[in-house]
Amino acid sequence: MKSDEMYFPQQTEEKGNDGIELIYSYLIHWKWFLAITVLAFLGAYIYIRITKPVYQATAAIAIFDTEDDDRESNDFFSGSIRNLSLTGNRLEDEKVVLTSRYILLRVVESMNMYDDFDGDSLRALAHCRSNLSVASASKNGSVLNITFTDTEPERGREILETLIKEYNLEALSHRRRMAQAMISFLDERLLMISNSLGYTEQSVQSYKTQEQLIDLRTNMSMDLNAKQNYEDKLMDVEIQLHMSNYIYEFLNNQSKQYQLLPINSGVLRTEVSEMIGNYNQQVLERERMLKTMEERNPVVVKQTETINAIRRNLLSSVEGLREGLEMSRNEIMGKSEYFNLRVKNMPKHEQQVQSMNRHQQLESSLYMILLEQRERARIELAISTDRVRIIEEPMYSVAPIAPRSTVIYGGSLLMGWIAVAGVIFLRNMLRKKIVTLNEIEEVGLPIVAKLPFIKRGDRSEKRQLQVLDEAFRRMRSNVRAQLPVDAKTILITSAGSNEGKTFCSIRLAKSLSLLDCRVLLVGLDLRNPQIGKFFGEEDKIGIADYLSGKVSDPEELIHPVKDSFNLFVVTAGTHNEQSAELLERNHLNALFECFRLHFDYIVIDSAPIGLVVDTFSLLRVTDYTLFVSRIGHTDRHMTEILSEMKNNGWETEKMAMIVNCVNHTEGYYYHHHRYYYYYYRRYSHYE
């Protein structure tokens, strides 16, 4: 039966545990966050005090589309001429013009801004461009919102006023230049087209007089009708000739002797169609006979001879029809060619006259369009309306827009916290030691004890020692509950040194001895023996002497512990460089069989399994294994060591964990990196 205080890692933990542990992993460093908060607020305060306040001037303008009136015209050519004479009316283009270098230089010159920037025009221009912003008020509207930020609010307002004024003047000047250029271009084109139009009219009149042309369209229409009539006849003859050839080839094909001919074949002669119908009827009659008679039957043979006779007559008729159709085709083709030549020769004069008339009409239309455009250009030259209507007059904000105290304080604090959190995160990512109980629980072994961390010199030191004693009592109960039936040998090991392995071995052995059980504590860390040093018996003979053959009686190895009636100890003995080889000898099995006969529990303090291979030799004499992991000291690659233990024969059902140096007061399972071994020496009587 397992103890109620046993800790068994869950396969699926609550999602909130990871979140809580993550929060506590940062809250443990609250002093860092407090320090960075003070520094962030101090830096933000200094920045706000030394930074000049920035004010924002705003204005809103509506840009007129100067082509709205022209778009009422439906003349496509007129509209395209108009587009050539005007600036672009798209709002995005106007935003670029407003922020262009040319316009801003005119603003700088108009306001004499050189004095504010030590006579440097480039600095003044850069100041205007970097602080000016133009945005559309709506997606499809014509209103622009203009903003300018400056440390001098009145100067910002004056810059916006000057910008709007200079933009208006530049738009008006540009429109007038385009109109004047258009007028000059149109005057030249009108003079050229006027001369060409007079020459064309004179040429048409001279040509008609010379050729005596009146009206050729009537004759041309008659010839075209005749030509079309013969072409239709030629098409009919071609179709009949094609079908006659098809029927002729079908009748000559031996593989299709007794197949049906198409009745509606397009052949016009009635006698041929009747012969085809009679032929098909006889073929069908023969097929009906073959369903009930053999092909050699006299009736079938007679029917076949009748079909062959009809077929010969039909071939003769079709051949005559083909000859007649070919003669008709040749005759119709000759007449068609005759009328085709007549049609080709007749329209020459008419085509020439039509070409001259079209050229005359084109020049007349172009002349009228250019006259209209010249009048519009002259009207534009006389118009001096503004391109811009001011929706909101330029004005500046009373309160500064920068620096914003709330944003600066909040941003400084946020960046400071992010920096601290980043440092903590990197420390956690780069650390090589286990610092949380959750990392140990992920190993998958049950935890029989969580030994608390005791801070030296603390006022509550005595109370903490009592908590430590209670933890060992729980460990004793959990270990006894976990031990298999008839199991006596408990091996305690760890991944490395200074994990508290020897400390846990001594305390567990003493705790078990208080249950009126005979307990033997065996020091099998032959490379670094500590059990003998602790009890002051390091000079006495031990297991190394027995395994090396110096001692043959196991009774000589066992020494009673003072003030502990049921506790006995076996030290490591004389130091031997071949400790791994000694532990592989069969004497060890016999020795432990002797121990089992005289003791209820045998606690083995072995060497660290992550450093040497000695502990692997003790598997054959071990019933249960306790793996000690110390918070803040055990390497994170402990799982690899446990995997190696499993591969060497250790059964996970006979293994458990002891977590040492757990500090519940600092964080969620966080710790100090100090561990005081002297507490057992000083308070070993607590139980």
Side-chain angles (χ1 to χ4, degrees):
M1 180 177 179
K2 294 181 179 174
S3 173
D4 294 337
E5 299 295 333
M6 194 69 171
Y7 298 92
F8 292 95
Q10 300 294 324
Q11 296 297 328
T12 57
E13 299 181 354
E14 297 181 0
K15 295 182 179 179
N17 289 345
D18 294 337
I20 294 173
E21 183 173 336
L22 179 63
I23 293 173
Y24 274 106
S25 68
Y26 287 95
L27 290 181
I28 191 66
H29 303 285
W30 63 270
K31 293 180 181 179
W32 293 15
F33 285 99
L34 179 60
I36 200 66
T37 301
V38 174
L39 292 176
F41 276 107
L42 180 60
Y45 175 77
I46 295 174
Y47 174 79
I48 292 171
R49 296 292 295 177
I50 65 176
T51 303
K52 287 185 178 181
V54 178
Y55 298 86
Q56 178 175 299
T58 59
I61 60 174
I63 299 180
F64 293 113
D65 189 354
T66 57
E67 299 176 0
D68 285 343
D69 296 336
D70 298 333
R71 290 176 182 172
E72 294 178 358
S73 173
N74 293 326
D75 192 297
F76 173 78
F77 185 72
S78 176
S80 61
I81 291 292
R82 185 62 182 177
N83 289 338
L84 292 174
S85 66
L86 298 176
T87 58
N89 60 349
R90 293 182 302 175
L91 209 57
E92 293 297 323
D93 296 338
E94 301 306 322
K95 290 163 64 176
V96 175
V97 174
L98 276 167
T99 58
S100 65
R101 179 186 179 92
Y102 174 73
I103 295 293
L104 293 180
L105 276 176
R106 292 183 58 172
V107 172
V108 171
E109 293 174 356
S110 178
M111 293 182 62
N112 296 322
M113 292 179 62
Y114 309 108
D115 298 336
D116 297 337
F117 296 91
D118 301 327
D120 191 347
S121 60
L122 294 179
R123 284 182 57 195
L125 176 63
H127 176 75
C128 292
R129 297 195 75 172
S130 61
N131 294 288
L132 179 65
S133 176
V134 181
S136 303
S138 59
K139 185 176 181 180
N140 299 319
S142 60
V143 177
L144 292 178
N145 292 327
I146 309 175
T147 59
F148 191 86
T149 56
D150 202 342
T151 55
E152 299 180 14
E154 183 61 30
R155 183 175 64 182
R157 185 189 65 80
E158 292 177 359
I159 289 175
L160 289 185
E161 286 183 348
T162 308
L163 177 66
I164 296 172
K165 176 183 174 182
E166 293 297 332
Y167 174 75
N168 255 329
L169 292 176
E170 172 59 25
L172 181 59
S173 174
H174 178 75
R175 186 169 62 183
R176 287 180 175 178
R177 290 196 302 270
M178 293 296 294
Q180 187 63 52
M182 182 60 69
I183 290 173
S184 300
F185 170 76
L186 292 175
D187 286 341
E188 294 178 1
R189 293 295 300 168
L190 283 171
L191 179 61
M192 184 187 301
I193 293 175
S194 177
N195 295 334
S196 177
L197 185 60
Y199 175 78
T200 302
E201 291 176 350
Q202 185 178 1
S203 297
V204 171
Q205 183 178 0
S206 300
Y207 184 79
K208 285 186 176 182
T209 303
Q210 180 181 353
E211 299 295 336
Q212 297 180 356
L213 298 176
I214 301 175
D215 185 15
L216 299 177
R217 294 185 179 181
T218 303
N219 292 337
M220 187 187 305
S221 177
M222 293 175 61
D223 291 340
L224 286 173
N225 290 335
K227 176 178 175 296
Q228 185 64 39
N229 186 27
Y230 279 107
E231 287 180 353
D232 293 341
K233 289 181 179 180
L234 180 61
M235 181 63 68
D236 292 340
V237 171
E238 289 285 355
I239 292 173
Q240 294 183 40
L241 183 59
H242 175 75
M243 294 305 300
S244 300
N245 290 334
Y246 170 74
I247 294 173
Y248 184 79
E249 292 174 0
F250 185 90
L251 292 173
N252 281 326
N253 193 344
Q254 296 299 323
S255 61
K256 299 180 180 180
Q257 272 189 335
Y258 304 109
Q259 294 184 11
L260 297 177
L261 287 172
I263 297 176
N264 189 12
S265 60
V267 180
L268 298 178
R269 291 188 180 182
T270 306
E271 60 275 14
V272 176
S273 299
E274 291 177 354
M275 293 178 68
I276 291 174
N278 186 24
Y279 177 82
N280 289 340
Q281 185 177 359
Q282 297 300 325
V283 169
L284 291 173
E285 180 64 20
R286 181 178 179 274
E287 290 179 355
R288 186 185 62 79
M289 292 178 178
L290 289 174
K291 292 179 181 180
T292 57
M293 306 177 186
E294 293 182 357
E295 189 173 355
R296 292 175 297 177
N297 191 292
V299 178
V300 175
V301 172
K302 183 179 181 180
Q303 183 67 23
T304 301
E305 292 176 354
T306 302
I307 292 174
N308 291 335
I310 297 174
R311 188 178 181 200
R312 288 190 295 271
N313 293 336
L314 186 57
L315 273 172
S316 177
S317 299
V318 170
E319 186 176 3
L321 177 62
R322 288 174 60 199
E323 293 176 356
L325 289 173
E326 287 179 357
M327 294 177 61
S328 298
R329 182 183 65 178
N330 294 334
E331 181 181 355
I332 293 172
M333 287 178 63
K335 291 183 179 181
S336 177
E337 288 293 331
Y338 169 76
F339 283 104
N340 189 32
L341 290 175
R342 283 176 57 89
V343 171
K344 287 182 179 179
N345 292 329
M346 289 179 62
K348 287 183 179 180
H349 300 303
E350 185 68 20
Q351 184 178 5
Q352 182 66 24
V353 173
Q354 288 179 354
S355 175
M356 297 173 70
N357 287 336
R358 284 195 300 270
H359 187 67
Q360 181 182 8
Q361 292 174 1
L362 178 62
E363 290 182 337
S364 298
S365 300
L366 183 59
Y367 187 80
M368 296 301 298
I369 290 172
L370 294 179
L371 280 177
E372 181 183 356
Q373 292 300 317
R374 186 175 65 177
E375 290 302 316
R376 291 184 178 181
R378 287 176 177 174
I379 293 173
E380 275 194 17
L381 188 60
I383 294 176
S384 59
T385 57
D386 291 339
R387 181 78 185 275
V388 172
R389 184 179 70 181
I390 298 177
I391 305 299
E392 293 182 1
E393 292 286 344
M395 59 184 299
Y396 59 86
S397 58
V398 178
I401 62 170
R404 297 182 180 179
S405 302
T406 304
V407 175
I408 293 174
Y409 280 117
S412 301
L413 182 61
L414 179 61
M415 288 189 293
W417 283 5
I418 290 175
V420 172
V423 172
I424 296 172
F425 177 77
L426 288 177
R427 286 188 61 193
N428 291 335
M429 291 295 293
L430 299 176
R431 63 179 170 85
K432 297 182 179 180
K433 303 299 181 181
I434 292 175
V435 297
T436 65
L437 185 62
N438 184 55
E439 293 178 85
I440 298 175
E441 291 177 346
E442 290 177 355
V443 174
L445 295 178
I447 299 174
V448 297
K450 298 178 183 177
L451 306 181
F453 166 77
I454 300 177
K455 190 173 183 180
R456 184 174 184 178
D458 195 289
R459 294 180 180 179
S460 60
E461 181 178 334
K462 186 174 181 179
R463 182 178 59 83
Q464 294 180 28
L465 288 172
Q466 293 174 353
V467 175
L468 178 63
D469 293 335
E470 185 62 29
F472 275 107
R473 293 190 185 96
R474 291 181 180 178
M475 181 176 71
R476 180 184 64 192
S477 300
N478 290 332
V479 169
R480 295 185 67 196
Q482 284 287 102
L483 282 176
V485 179
D486 297 331
K488 293 185 177 183
T489 306
I490 303 171
L491 183 141
I492 299 180
T493 186
S494 61
S497 59
N498 297 324
E499 303 274 0
K501 166 181 59 64
T502 303
F503 173 60
C504 293
S505 300
I506 297 171
R507 290 300 302 267
L508 178 60
K510 184 171 179 58
S511 182
L512 290 171
S513 68
L514 296 177
L515 299 178
D516 199 21
C517 297
R518 288 174 58 83
V519 180
L520 178 64
L521 177 60
V522 182
L524 278 177
D525 188 353
L526 303 184
R527 298 175 186 262
N528 184 24
Q530 296 294 324
I531 296 296
K533 293 180 181 180
F534 184 82
F535 290 103
E537 298 182 358
E538 60 269 23
D539 296 331
K540 294 185 178 181
I541 60 174
I543 288 187
D545 301 298
Y546 177 83
L547 295 178
S548 62
K550 295 179 181 179
V551 179
S552 59
D553 186 6
E555 295 291 339
E556 298 181 21
L557 307 178
I558 302 172
H559 309 286
V561 176
K562 297 179 181 180
D563 301 328
S564 296
F565 178 72
N566 291 319
L567 180 60
F568 300 85
V569 64
V570 176
T571 63
T574 306
H575 180 71
N576 193 312
E577 295 294 337
Q578 298 180 343
S579 58
E581 288 74 11
L582 289 178
L583 294 176
E584 289 291 342
R585 295 183 178 180
N586 294 328
H587 295 71
L588 184 66
N589 295 359
L591 180 62
F592 270 84
E593 287 297 330
C594 179
F595 290 162
R596 290 175 185 273
L597 295 175
H598 297 89
F599 295 95
D600 298 313
Y601 294 102
I602 304 169
V603 179
I604 301 174
D605 176 34
S606 68
I609 198 168
L611 301 179
V612 294
V613 299
D614 296 7
T615 306
F616 289 102
S617 302
L618 303 179
L619 173 62
R620 63 186 190 274
V621 297
T622 301
D623 297 326
Y624 196 74
T625 303
L626 296 178
F627 194 94
V628 180
S629 176
R630 178 181 169 188
I631 296 291
H633 191 85
T634 302
D635 195 274
R636 296 178 71 178
H637 300 293
M638 177 181 63
T639 54
E640 298 177 3
I641 299 174
L642 293 174
S643 298
E644 186 178 358
M645 293 175 67
K646 295 176 185 178
N647 295 334
N648 282 274
W650 257 280
E651 300 178 11
T652 56
E653 296 80 4
K654 297 180 181 180
M655 295 178 63
M657 299 287 296
I658 299 175
V659 184
N660 192 14
C661 229
V662 176
N663 187 356
H664 294 277
T665 60
E666 296 203 11
Y668 186 57
Y669 284 125
Y670 274 75
H671 57 74
H672 284 288
H673 293 285
R674 295 170 292 171
Y675 171 70
Y676 300 100
Y677 183 80
Y678 78 95
Y679 277 104
Y680 178 75
R681 293 179 179 269
R682 186 175 177 185
Y683 301 103
S684 60
H685 60 282
Y686 287 169
E687 198 54 58

